[in-house]
Amino acid sequence: MQPIIEFKDVSFSYPNAEQPALKNLSLQIQKGDWVAVIGHNGSGKSTFAKLINYLLIPTSGSITVDGIPVDQEHVYDIRDLVGMVFQNPDNQFVGATVADDVAFGLENRQVPREKMLEIVPDALERVQMNAYAAREPARLSGGQKQRVAIASVLAVEPKVLILDEATSMLDPKGRREMIALVHELKQELGAELTVLSITHDIDEAASADEVVILNDGELMGVDKPEVIFSDAERLRRLGLAVPFAEQLKAKLKARGIKVPETYQTTEGMAEWIWQLHSKM
Amino acid sequence: MSNMILGRYLPGVSWVHRLDARTKFILSMLFIFVIFMANNIYGYLFATAFVALSIIMTGLGFKVFFNGLKPLAMLMLITTFLQLFFMNTGTVLVHWWIFTITTDGVINSVIVFVRFMLIIMFTTILTLTTPPLEVADAMESLMSPLRKIGVPVSELALMVSIALRFVPTLMDEAQSIMNAQRARGVAFNEGGLIQRAKSYVPLLIPLFVNAIKRAIELGDAMEARGYRDGEHRTKFRVLKYTKIDGVAFAAFFIFAIGLFATRFI
Ligand SMILES: Nc1ncnc2c1ncn2[C@@H]1O[C@H](COP(=O)(O)OP(=O)(O)OP(=O)(O)O)[C@@H](O)[C@H]1O
Ligand SMILES: [Mg+2]
């Protein structure tokens, strides 16, 4: 099957930078997957994301999305395919009101007004923001603004949704709600939507189909989350947080207790401890 | 601060609120010209009555309109005061050194004062009953003929709407930077003029730096959402003339004729 995103030997340097931000990156992302991208600060995650929809232009190498080359000629086709939600809720809210913001992408694509009047409430319905259609951004919480950002992206029906630390400025509740929302949408759209989520949130990354690790502009590996997160040693070496469950496992192991080999979520670990407890 | 820049939109359900922003904009502009037709006391009484009636119809009460005058009070007083000395005809009331105040001078400054008041009061109706964004839309719509001579009207309108949208965001940010600086011992609004101006430097620098950062991110977000240029876009928000706009134009027309008639009393 044709990968939805393909990087072939892509390098990128910012102007005046000594080090390239990405070095010889080759990678394929399969259609319908939920892919988490992790890496320490400055490892090149945002650069990677921006290359996908031609916000940045590779210094060398080539990128395709759904078989279409990412270049000047196809830039607007690519942007129809790839929707992006950024970190700062305020700095991506273009419209004067919620409805206007959702309409922005449609206006750019010259969708007739009658169509917009149907699409906008639909998109807001999907993120449960219908009641706020006439609100200005100043009267919304960060989480609500991010949900509007998702609605704005969904309104143009992209095949790839990129979340660049989209939850990192939200409080824990807002973050959980937003992740749940994206999961829901993903379930609804199934293989029609590929999600690429850049995140520092280990639990979010752990629920992905695949995890991509970047380190100083280089690809360190693509693997299943249970493989990546059970290698505490490597995570530490790459400057990444080790999930709580793994820290616990390491401590238990040091005390000579036999622990599960595979990756466990915090809940999974709690479950395991209960079972262990009842056996004792 | 925002009150001064944007006027203060006060939501409401009056007829005036429901008028198309373009109607209010055009009538405000026309009023500034039409008021000069008044040339006697009846004319000014008639105009005052018309403005008062318009204000009553907004349902907002007179108080907010007088409050709107405050920031301009100084300007009005100075202009009026200067008028006192411009006229040298009529009976001399006071004569001192090179200054002469005559009866005509007094009458003239009263007229200038009243005219000024009426114009401000009437144009305030626009800003009090129309959301800033609609004012921007109205200006875009009215300026659209300029597109033919290459003025990027849609881009300008988008810029204005984004600027309006970021005012509260930047105000919040300024507030939190000020609080952070206060916590570090910076005293705002204390000392002499220069001292005060200086105390704002640690506020303005981070505010500018952040504003530029925001602008770059917003640019990325807009491009990511398929923005290419201003002209080839459809519009989600549209202005619509309704029957009440016709009524408003008719009423204004009658007022203008009436005002012209007062010249012959
Ligand atoms: N506009 C820019 N100009 C020059 N260098 C940049 C620019 N943006 C990022 N860089 C550099 O490129 C490298 C990769 O940055 P990038 O923003 O992709 O990292 P990141 O993984 O997204 O980090 P974070 O987790 O902090 O968001 C960093 O070394 C950074 O300093
Ligand atoms: Mg980043």
Side-chain angles (χ1 to χ4, degrees):
Chain A
M1 205 173 72
Q2 180 183 338
I4 185 91
I5 299 172
E6 181 162 31
F7 273 60
K8 279 194 195 134
D9 204 22
V10 174
S11 296
F12 177 82
S13 300
Y14 283 99
N16 307 323
E18 293 154 24
Q19 286 267 330
L22 280 185
K23 285 170 243 170
N24 305 96
L25 191 75
S26 292
L27 142 108
Q28 296 190 343
I29 288 170
Q30 300 308 324
K31 195 169 176 218
D33 269 359
W34 180 302
V35 178
V37 180
I38 61 172
H40 62 76
N41 289 118
S43 57
K45 304 183 298 292
S46 298
T47 308
F48 170 65
K50 285 180 183 167
L51 283 164
I52 298 173
N53 70 349
Y54 208 65
L55 286 177
L56 295 175
I57 306 166
T59 319
S60 66
S62 67
I63 306 169
T64 58
V65 175
D66 207 17
I68 301 173
V70 179
D71 56 21
Q72 185 60 50
E73 197 193 329
H74 299 97
V75 52
Y76 296 114
D77 301 323
I78 294 298
R79 287 181 187 161
D80 285 348
L81 289 174
V82 182
M84 226 165 149
V85 177
F86 298 86
Q87 179 174 24
N88 190 318
D90 262 314
N91 299 354
Q92 55 188 316
F93 205 110
V94 189
T97 65
V98 168
D100 282 306
D101 193 58
V102 176
F104 180 76
L106 301 169
E107 292 177 319
N108 292 337
R109 289 168 177 84
Q110 301 184 51
V111 174
R113 183 162 186 272
E114 303 80 64
K115 273 290 234 355
M116 289 198 256
L117 291 176
E118 291 168 19
I119 299 173
V120 170
D122 260 12
L124 286 174
E125 182 79 61
R126 288 163 94 177
V127 300
Q128 292 115 46
M129 286 293 290
N130 237 349
Y132 300 87
R135 283 268 186 117
E136 303 89 45
R139 297 194 292 140
L140 295 175
S141 73
Q144 289 172 328
K145 279 180 231 177
Q146 289 302 69
R147 281 202 264 163
V148 174
I150 290 186
S152 305
V153 165
L154 289 179
V156 299
E157 299 179 354
K159 291 196 172 172
V160 181
L161 172 62
I162 301 178
L163 305 164
D164 187 354
E165 297 186 42
T167 60
S168 66
M169 287 178 78
L170 308 182
D171 57 23
K173 183 166 165 278
R175 186 174 307 176
R176 267 197 310 274
E177 283 174 358
M178 181 143 159
I179 294 170
L181 172 70
V182 181
H183 272 288
E184 224 170 85
L185 293 167
K186 175 77 183 78
Q187 208 137 53
E188 203 179 300
L189 294 166
E192 284 312 300
L193 187 71
T194 307
V195 177
L196 198 72
S197 171
I198 296 171
T199 182
H200 286 290
D201 187 297
I202 295 292
D203 283 330
E204 193 198 327
S207 67
D209 298 316
E210 297 276 343
V211 178
V212 171
I213 307 181
L214 290 177
N215 187 45
D216 296 335
E218 284 179 87
L219 182 67
M220 294 310 280
V222 184
D223 230 323
K224 300 271 169 228
E226 45 274 28
V227 178
I228 282 177
F229 290 115
S230 49
D231 193 348
E233 182 47 41
R234 175 159 79 154
L235 288 174
R236 231 175 260 122
R237 209 170 53 238
L238 297 173
L240 294 167
V242 179
F244 171 74
E246 289 303 320
Q247 295 178 27
L248 182 63
K249 262 158 67 176
K251 292 242 163 78
L252 289 173
K253 216 166 164 183
R255 292 182 166 226
I257 298 168
K258 207 166 157 284
V259 292
E261 282 302 314
T262 55
Y263 173 77
Q264 301 289 324
T265 59
T266 309
E267 288 80 34
M269 209 50 199
E271 185 83 0
W272 175 80
I273 290 173
W274 273 115
Q275 282 173 9
L276 194 71
H277 180 76
S278 55
K279 270 187 246 161
M280 283 199 303
Chain B
M1 197 159 27
S2 67
N3 291 356
M4 265 161 59
I5 308 166
L6 301 174
R8 305 144 296 152
Y9 167 58
L10 296 174
V13 290
S14 74
W15 270 40
V16 182
H17 280 87
R18 280 180 297 169
L19 283 176
D20 189 296
R22 285 170 296 183
T23 306
K24 287 183 262 187
F25 194 87
I26 294 170
L27 294 185
S28 296
M29 293 299 122
L30 284 179
F31 185 83
I32 296 171
F33 294 103
V34 168
I35 189 72
F36 281 92
M37 291 201 303
N39 71 345
N40 58 32
I41 179 85
Y42 305 107
Y44 284 103
L45 282 177
F46 185 55
T48 308
F50 177 75
V51 171
L53 185 71
S54 308
I55 289 177
I56 290 168
M57 285 188 45
T58 64
L60 296 173
F62 284 94
K63 202 164 153 244
V64 286
F65 285 86
F66 283 111
N67 287 343
L69 289 176
K70 272 185 203 153
L72 294 165
M74 203 60 189
L75 183 68
M76 281 172 69
L77 284 177
I78 292 171
T79 323
T80 313
F81 187 69
L82 287 177
Q83 286 295 330
L84 277 177
F85 307 104
F86 284 166
M87 286 267 186
N88 293 318
T89 53
T91 328
V92 175
L93 296 174
V94 183
H95 184 81
W96 178 73
W97 192 34
I98 53 165
F99 300 109
T100 324
I101 296 179
T102 65
T103 43
D104 283 2
V106 172
I107 292 170
N108 197 42
S109 57
V110 170
I111 289 174
V112 168
F113 182 79
V114 171
R115 203 188 281 151
F116 217 143
M117 281 263 291
L118 290 177
I119 289 176
I120 294 171
M121 292 275 209
F122 195 76
T123 47
T124 306
I125 295 176
L126 169 74
T127 54
L128 282 182
T129 63
T130 322
L133 187 68
E134 268 178 43
V135 180
D137 284 343
M139 285 164 91
E140 175 182 12
S141 165
L142 295 173
M143 281 179 10
S144 58
L146 295 181
R147 232 172 247 158
K148 288 208 183 68
I149 57 163
V151 179
V153 177
S154 306
E155 262 103 342
L156 288 173
L158 186 66
M159 274 166 60
V160 171
S161 99
I162 289 173
L164 289 173
R165 173 246 164 286
F166 271 94
V167 167
T169 311
L170 293 178
M171 299 280 272
D172 276 356
E173 183 160 343
Q175 201 59 52
S176 53
I177 294 173
M178 262 168 110
N179 289 342
Q181 304 286 19
R182 274 205 195 97
R184 290 179 179 78
V186 177
F188 294 99
N189 298 325
E190 265 175 42
L193 198 63
I194 294 178
Q195 184 88 43
R196 277 188 201 202
K198 267 190 180 161
S199 73
Y200 276 91
V201 172
L203 167 68
L204 290 177
I205 289 175
L207 200 59
F208 271 118
V209 170
N210 282 345
I212 289 168
K213 206 177 132 229
R214 281 180 194 284
I216 293 172
E217 286 186 18
L218 188 73
D220 273 346
M222 286 170 66
E223 275 200 67
R225 283 159 68 179
Y227 182 77
R228 31 208 118 163
D229 62 69
E231 304 307 326
H232 299 103
R233 304 177 73 228
T234 44
K235 281 187 76 71
F236 178 65
R237 228 178 26 246
V238 291
L239 295 167
K240 255 210 190 95
Y241 286 118
T242 56
K243 248 185 237 151
I244 54 172
D245 292 293
V247 174
F249 275 112
F252 190 85
F253 186 65
I254 293 168
F255 160 69
I257 291 176
L259 193 61
F260 188 69
T262 61
R263 295 169 71 97
F264 306 104
I265 300 177

